[in-house]
Amino acid sequence: MKKGLFVLAVLVMALGNVSFAQRKAELKSNANANVLKHYGVRDETTVVPATASWQTTDGEQYHTTYTYDEYDYYLIEELTEMNYGDGWQEFSLLTYDYDFSGNVIEIVAQIMEDGGWENEARASYTYDDDLVAEVIIQEWENGNWVNETKEVYNYSGDVTTVLYWDWNGSNWSSDELWTYTKDGNTIELIIQYMQGGAWQNDEKQLLTLDFDEHVTEILDQDWVGTSWVNDERTTYIYEDGVFTNKNVEDWNGSAWEDDLAFEYEYVDGNAKHGECFEKEAGQWMPADDDIEMAFGYGAKSNEYYGYRVDIQYVDLTQVGENTTASFVVYPVPAQDVLFIETDSFQKAEIYSLSGQKVMESLRDRMNVSALSSGMYLIKVYDREGGCSSQRFVVK
């Protein structure tokens, strides 16, 4: 089974006029995103989508609401509604679960059927030093989760492999092998499939990075006979740290031809509006495709299927905090000792952004060297019984 090439997204739920079976197949981790993170390519951001609305050329409309945890940090739900012209209806629901380090360990996809949510697919993740080690995809059948595919990651310097397995009902059988090799500002991905007991070449992808570790070009090639042949080329055009245009070209055997063009509008490094066009008979016309919406100055992106998308964002550093905190912490980011400066101190507590208390102290200084790198919430109580909180970062 061919997995296809997926770029710069953690999870792609290509809604619109896509069958339920196709959406199940798409509930697998994005190997490219996982490996790019391993290679240090930017993907961290404190800006996340709040809502997204998109539509297709045949009039289908979709709207997704993103819900975050009590500290407005971890995404816990994506609720998508659809409108085929007869009013808005709940359509699909993704729910997320995380480990103590903030790594997603489970994503469950449900579909609205006959007025109730029905399980459809599940992705389960395991990690090794915060790097994805294994992902198992399951389908919901007759009241039980049934294995479908498995991804196993192996990291060795500049070479990373992802081995895909299919479930035959009783055992796993190897299906595809993805081999990534990083060389300077280029990442090469070769996809092979198992046939006759040996790995056979299938596809190759070359990702070119700029100085800021943004992807500027993606060249797709197919294995034909005994050599690699051009298939598709995607070019990102950047201005002020964000790509304002994304162009896709097809290879006609001797030259590149325009196929798709994506245009974007940004506010503070976040793609607020995106449109897709397809070239037909020499004219650019609105077309449905996966529109990649980047945010946090290209750090992350989501994809939406249609010809236009509009997104609203929320800045996590400005939400859910006590803006009148009666104390100051330093240094930030903290590495060893975190000092608390306040006029009236009783005790302090540190919480992970999933809500778990990780430290408590009766002194106005706390050794945070044992904490994993990331963002935390500190609550400081005064002698009058008051409490205020704010976020800080451990490096």
Side-chain angles (χ1 to χ4, degrees):
M1 183 179 73
K2 194 171 183 179
K3 302 295 187 300
L5 296 174
F6 303 91
V7 181
L8 302 179
V10 176
L11 182 69
V12 178
M13 287 297 286
L15 302 174
N17 55 4
V18 185
S19 71
F20 285 170
Q22 286 173 303
R23 286 202 311 279
K24 291 179 188 177
E26 287 161 353
L27 185 62
K28 57 176 171 286
S29 79
N30 186 317
N32 276 11
N34 295 331
V35 175
L36 289 176
K37 181 178 180 180
H38 167 60
Y39 288 143
V41 177
R42 298 173 56 177
D43 86 331
E44 296 300 325
T45 179
T46 58
V47 178
V48 294
T51 62
S53 300
W54 68 102
Q55 54 186 305
T56 63
T57 54
D58 60 4
E60 297 174 354
Q61 298 181 59
Y62 296 87
H63 181 81
T64 294
T65 301
Y66 298 86
T67 301
Y68 298 86
D69 70 342
E70 61 180 308
Y71 300 113
D72 298 299
Y73 190 76
Y74 291 121
L75 175 64
I76 57 175
E77 279 191 359
E78 293 182 32
L79 173 62
T80 297
E81 300 170 286
M82 67 175 182
N83 185 351
Y84 288 157
D86 54 355
W88 289 100
Q89 304 174 43
E90 291 180 329
F91 179 48
S92 66
L93 179 67
L94 293 179
T95 55
Y96 296 76
D97 192 20
Y98 300 84
D99 64 15
F100 181 75
S101 298
N103 298 311
V104 61
I105 56 176
E106 183 179 84
I107 306 174
V108 176
Q110 296 177 298
I111 293 294
M112 178 60 68
E113 292 283 357
D114 300 324
W117 292 111
E118 292 189 4
N119 289 332
E120 185 174 10
R122 179 173 70 175
S124 301
Y125 298 72
T126 56
Y127 296 84
D128 183 8
D129 291 333
D130 288 335
L131 292 173
V132 175
E134 183 178 278
V135 184
I136 295 179
I137 311 300
Q138 298 173 306
E139 289 187 338
W140 184 256
E141 294 182 3
N142 301 320
N144 295 290
W145 289 112
V146 178
N147 291 333
E148 182 184 340
T149 62
K150 178 171 68 172
E151 307 166 12
V152 178
Y153 291 72
N154 180 65
Y155 307 91
S156 179
D158 288 331
V159 179
T160 300
T161 60
V162 183
L163 182 59
Y164 287 87
W165 302 75
D166 280 341
W167 182 254
N168 62 16
S170 57
N171 295 293
W172 293 106
S173 58
S174 56
D175 176 50
E176 279 189 7
L177 177 64
W178 292 24
T179 302
Y180 296 82
T181 304
K182 188 175 188 298
D183 183 9
N185 70 330
T186 302
I187 298 175
E188 179 188 79
L189 164 62
I190 294 179
I191 298 179
Q192 299 172 298
Y193 63 93
M194 178 62 68
Q195 186 178 65
W199 292 112
Q200 308 293 329
N201 288 336
D202 187 16
E203 300 178 48
K204 181 164 72 170
Q205 188 179 76
L206 293 173
L207 289 81
T208 302
L209 311 176
D210 65 12
F211 181 77
D212 294 321
E213 295 181 328
H214 291 125
V215 175
T216 59
E217 182 181 286
I218 303 169
L219 175 64
D220 292 300
Q221 297 178 317
D222 292 329
W223 182 258
V224 180
T226 59
S227 62
W228 294 107
V229 177
N230 290 335
D231 177 37
E232 184 178 89
R233 182 172 66 181
T234 302
T235 304
Y236 295 82
I237 300 173
Y238 287 86
E239 294 181 13
D240 299 325
V242 298
F243 60 89
T244 56
N245 297 81
K246 185 175 96 170
N247 300 318
V248 180
E249 301 167 288
D250 286 335
W251 182 254
N252 66 10
S254 59
W256 292 106
E257 293 183 340
D258 290 330
D259 180 26
L260 297 170
F262 301 84
E263 297 180 356
Y264 299 92
E265 296 176 10
Y266 283 81
V267 174
D268 297 329
N270 307 308
K272 302 279 287 185
H273 177 79
E275 294 189 25
C276 175
F277 301 90
E278 183 177 20
K279 201 163 194 179
E280 296 181 356
Q283 300 292 322
W284 288 106
M285 304 294 293
D288 295 329
D289 207 276
D290 292 329
I291 302 178
E292 180 184 0
M293 302 290 286
F295 51 95
Y297 285 96
K300 288 189 177 181
S301 64
N302 286 351
E303 292 184 353
Y304 305 89
Y305 184 83
Y307 81 94
R308 63 177 296 162
V309 180
D310 292 284
I311 298 184
Q312 294 182 333
Y313 296 91
V314 58
D315 185 347
L316 298 179
T317 63
Q318 303 298 323
V319 177
E321 295 184 16
N322 186 336
T323 57
T324 60
S326 58
F327 65 95
V328 174
V329 295
Y330 65 90
V332 177
Q335 191 167 2
D336 296 312
V337 177
L338 180 72
F339 294 91
I340 304 166
E341 188 175 292
T342 181
D343 293 334
S344 175
F345 178 86
Q346 183 182 38
K347 71 172 182 176
E349 299 171 341
I350 295 178
Y351 292 81
S352 71
L353 293 181
S354 60
Q356 295 175 295
K357 183 161 63 174
V358 296
M359 290 187 68
E360 184 174 355
S361 176
L362 297 177
R363 300 182 62 196
D364 58 1
R365 62 192 65 189
M366 303 176 76
N367 189 336
V368 297
S369 60
L371 297 179
S372 301
S373 299
M375 189 176 292
Y376 294 84
L377 184 82
I378 181 169
K379 293 183 177 181
V380 173
Y381 297 83
D382 59 37
R383 289 187 291 271
E384 288 70 41
C387 172
S388 59
S389 61
Q390 61 178 283
R391 287 193 177 97
F392 74 97
V393 175
V394 172
K395 184 177 181 180

